[in-house]
Amino acid sequence: MKIRKITLSKYKRFQSLTIDLGDNPKRIVALVGPNGCGKSSVFDGMLFLNNAYGGIGNKGNKDFHYHSIEQNPSYDYRNVSIQFLEGDYYTIRSQKEIQGKENTIFSFRSPYRYNNNLKITISQAVSEIRLNNYGATFASDLDDKMEENYRRLQIKYNRFLHEQDCKPSEAKKHIIGELNNSIQACLDLYIVSLGDIEDGKGTLFFCKSDYSDKSFEFNVLSAGEKEVVDILLDLYLRKEEYDDTIFLIDEPELHINTSIQRKLLIEINKLIGENCQLWVATHSIGFLRALQDELKDECQIIEFKADTPWASSDQTLTPIQKNRNQWSRIFATALDDLTGLVSPKRIIYCEGKDKPGRSGEERGMDAQVYNNIFGEKYPDTLFISSGGNTELDQRSNIAIGYCSK
């Protein structure tokens, strides 16, 4: 299941916004732009329509003050339109209702994740995961999924242990093996024990490779480590029921350094089912690098520009062309004025005006044309002008010195 078009009318900051992914929407849709440009509002719009029929999370709905740009008391979900490849929202929901999985159309993670403490002392039942009735309801809500997901992991382990009548070590290896693979791909960390609620040790225990003989509980992990474990555990538990779902993840990079961000997005993509689509709102360098490199053929990028008059005019956004010029502008969101310091792997000198424009832009016709022609296939290559044809050889030492840096 994939979304191909969404339209928000007079919703939050938008007079009218349409995101059109075309007839061949990709598996990953990245909403990229600075803070406050409306990325989270797109997620809220999807949830506003969905929650009119069956709520996600347990934080409750919000009234027109939250959703209506005009503060209209009669404002409702009919101002949001979602078109999937397979039909409109109502068609999809009717099909899901037949399967009893109408609440799995969307899976949502807000940027405000609470996972600071995990110490369970009392066993209790949890509802079916397909009901999607815990965690955040909208982007402004606290997303406190960790405790309930720990309970679900314990249930999954105990069920397998009794159904297969196997050793605890075999059950543990089966249940947390795949999860550990994802965690270790991002961190020097792996789960060694699911703890024991009845013994007052209701938490996850971990080891690291440099002292594998000592284990420590979830609560002593760093904020970034907790974020990674929290996100991956939630996706792992949803794999079976959420196999035809739109996953919405708002700023998953919080508290996580750049190199881990890149690895995390790759693992998120692996854990999400083949028939699913991932929408992610981000301005993370690590996530952008994964989209530019490992996931380039699976993604579409929607750019939200800070100076766009969202509230006063109709706007239609389509995926950017992924050439070097576009990537430079996108990375400027994350790097600000440091963008120019990110060097290409390869520089090709061209004949043309050697002095840049007032803002540093390329003025040579040849270089501009080549950057446009080859920018998408070779985003790590930069064509630059360096004067007339007799001057290029004279500047070879400069080129070698520049490339070496």
Side-chain angles (χ1 to χ4, degrees), residues 35-97:
N35 289 327
C37 64
K39 303 186 299 297
S40 297
S41 295
V42 174
F43 291 170
D44 274 344
M46 296 185 196
L47 297 171
F48 184 43
L49 171 57
N50 184 78
N51 292 346
Y53 294 89
I56 284 179
N58 58 6
K59 300 300 185 288
N61 282 318
K62 294 175 170 56
D63 64 15
F64 68 93
H65 293 102
Y66 185 81
H67 298 291
S68 172
I69 191 174
E70 297 176 336
Q71 299 293 280
N72 181 357
S74 62
Y75 188 84
D76 66 22
Y77 62 90
R78 286 170 290 190
N79 288 279
V80 179
S81 169
I82 304 176
Q83 294 292 327
F84 298 82
L85 273 180
E86 301 81 2
D88 62 17
Y89 173 82
Y90 307 100
T91 300
I92 296 299
R93 187 167 189 89
S94 296
Q95 294 171 352
K96 290 280 190 180
E97 285 175 345

Side-chain angles (χ1 to χ4, degrees), residues 30-35 39 251-266 280-295 299 301 327-343:
L31 309 183
V32 178
N35 289 327
K39 303 186 299 297
E251 295 190 12
E253 65 265 20
L254 297 183
H255 307 300
I256 302 171
N257 72 47
T258 303
S259 62
I260 295 176
Q261 290 167 4
R262 184 172 184 171
K263 297 172 184 176
L264 177 60
L265 183 57
I266 293 170
V280 58
T282 185
H283 40 69
S284 148
I285 301 170
F287 272 53
L288 292 174
R289 288 293 290 131
L291 294 170
Q292 186 187 40
D293 195 354
E294 291 91 347
L295 303 173
C299 74
I301 296 174
W327 278 118
S328 294
R329 190 173 67 252
I330 292 296
F331 273 101
T333 300
L335 294 171
D336 196 22
D337 59 347
L338 297 178
T339 305
L341 299 180
V342 181
S343 299

Side-chain angles (χ1 to χ4, degrees), residues 56-271:
I56 284 179
N58 58 6
K59 300 300 185 288
N61 282 318
K62 294 175 170 56
D63 64 15
F64 68 93
H65 293 102
Y66 185 81
H67 298 291
S68 172
I69 191 174
E70 297 176 336
Q71 299 293 280
N72 181 357
S74 62
Y75 188 84
D76 66 22
Y77 62 90
R78 286 170 290 190
N79 288 279
V80 179
S81 169
I82 304 176
Q83 294 292 327
F84 298 82
L85 273 180
E86 301 81 2
D88 62 17
Y89 173 82
Y90 307 100
T91 300
I92 296 299
R93 187 167 189 89
S94 296
Q95 294 171 352
K96 290 280 190 180
E97 285 175 345
I98 296 172
Q99 307 167 6
K101 298 179 69 173
E102 62 272 17
N103 285 335
T104 67
I105 296 175
F106 293 104
S107 175
F108 175 61
R109 294 303 306 257
S110 85
Y112 308 111
R113 291 177 287 279
Y114 175 77
N115 51 33
N116 186 54
N117 186 62
L118 180 64
K119 199 76 168 184
I120 310 302
T121 57
I122 301 174
S123 297
Q124 66 183 49
V126 295
S127 60
E128 291 184 80
I129 196 168
R130 69 167 64 186
L131 297 179
N132 211 0
N133 58 0
Y134 65 105
T137 302
F138 290 102
S140 60
D141 294 330
L142 187 66
D143 214 337
D144 48 354
K145 286 189 170 78
M146 191 65 203
E147 179 175 327
E148 185 148 345
N149 279 337
Y150 172 75
R151 294 183 188 278
R152 294 182 186 280
L153 189 63
Q154 284 278 4
I155 292 169
K156 190 178 181 74
Y157 164 76
N158 288 320
R159 181 179 296 144
F160 184 86
L161 180 66
H162 295 301
E163 288 178 352
Q164 301 299 319
D165 192 24
C166 60
K167 297 178 181 178
S169 59
E170 294 172 345
K172 184 182 74 172
K173 182 178 180 180
H174 175 83
I175 294 301
I176 65 174
E178 183 181 6
L179 177 58
N180 266 338
N181 289 339
S182 294
I183 293 173
Q184 288 183 281
C186 300
L187 305 168
D188 179 17
L189 197 70
Y190 56 95
I191 300 171
V192 293
S193 172
L194 302 181
D196 186 344
I197 296 176
E198 302 303 324
D199 192 30
K201 298 177 180 177
T203 189
L204 295 172
F205 289 86
F206 296 83
C207 274
K208 291 191 174 185
S209 61
D210 56 348
Y211 46 98
S212 57
D213 58 329
K214 297 179 181 178
S215 65
F216 46 90
E217 61 182 54
F218 176 86
N219 296 332
V220 304
L221 298 180
S222 71
E225 290 171 328
K226 288 177 180 177
E227 288 283 348
V228 171
V229 173
D230 184 6
I231 291 171
L232 295 180
L233 173 59
D234 187 54
L235 294 175
Y236 169 71
L237 291 171
R238 290 171 183 254
K239 282 193 68 174
E240 294 180 9
E241 296 284 7
Y242 294 72
D243 57 348
D244 190 30
T245 296
I246 306 299
F247 285 85
L248 310 175
I249 305 183
D250 198 354
E251 295 190 12
E253 65 265 20
L254 297 183
H255 307 300
I256 302 171
N257 72 47
T258 303
S259 62
I260 295 176
Q261 290 167 4
R262 184 172 184 171
K263 297 172 184 176
L264 177 60
L265 183 57
I266 293 170
E267 292 307 309
I268 289 173
N269 183 50
K270 290 178 182 177
L271 285 172

